[in-house]
Amino acid sequence: MFEVSIIMPVYNVSAHLPRAIQSALNQTKMDFELILVNDGSTDDSGAICDHFAEEEPLLIQVIHQKNQGSGMARNAGLRKAKGKYIYFADPDDYFKPTLLADNVRLAEEKKLM
């Protein structure tokens, strides 16, 4: 089980995706998984997801599905998530390196879980 599951729906965002994935991987808190849900992309987004999953197989899972929209993509990610906490990210988000650590600390201080 991971402390945090990051779920990122992906649809035709190849221009932004590598930077978003890399910024997620640069977290100071490493007890997380990244679930990339390729929602039927017609650009190189699916291949980019697969490339990063090959580079970081213990941290990254990729789900490929036909296009159903971001809500269904998030739900597909939720079904695979093993984290105590869920963080929904968009593929054009760029993570501050302490984002997960800061959020987990706040959740635990407020006893949200």
Side-chain angles (χ1 to χ4, degrees):
M1 184 160 136
F2 295 95
E3 189 158 31
V4 180
S5 294
I6 302 170
I7 299 172
M8 186 182 295
V10 173
Y11 181 74
N12 289 347
V13 288
S14 60
H16 303 283
L17 189 57
R19 183 174 173 200
I21 293 171
Q22 193 58 57
S23 72
L25 294 174
N26 290 339
Q27 290 299 291
T28 57
K29 177 170 233 17
M30 290 304 293
D31 187 18
F32 71 90
E33 65 179 337
L34 175 59
I35 302 170
L36 302 168
V37 184
N38 178 30
D39 192 39
S41 295
T42 57
D43 66 358
D44 291 333
S45 295
I48 292 168
C49 291
D50 290 339
H51 168 77
F52 276 94
E54 288 172 11
E55 296 290 315
E56 295 288 348
L58 300 177
L59 294 177
I60 299 176
Q61 290 185 64
V62 179
I63 300 169
H64 294 281
Q65 65 182 30
K66 67 179 182 168
N67 182 259
Q68 300 175 57
S70 63
M72 295 300 284
R74 289 176 194 268
N75 288 338
L78 279 171
R79 287 190 289 276
K80 294 285 185 182
K82 298 178 188 104
K84 176 179 177 183
Y85 299 104
I86 302 295
Y87 186 89
F88 289 115
D90 291 320
D92 59 353
D93 289 347
Y94 305 122
F95 294 64
K96 181 177 144 187
T98 60
L99 176 83
L100 294 182
D102 292 344
N103 280 285
V104 167
R105 181 183 49 76
L106 287 171
E108 291 177 354
E109 284 175 7
K110 302 292 182 186
K111 297 184 181 359
L112 297 177
M113 287 295 269

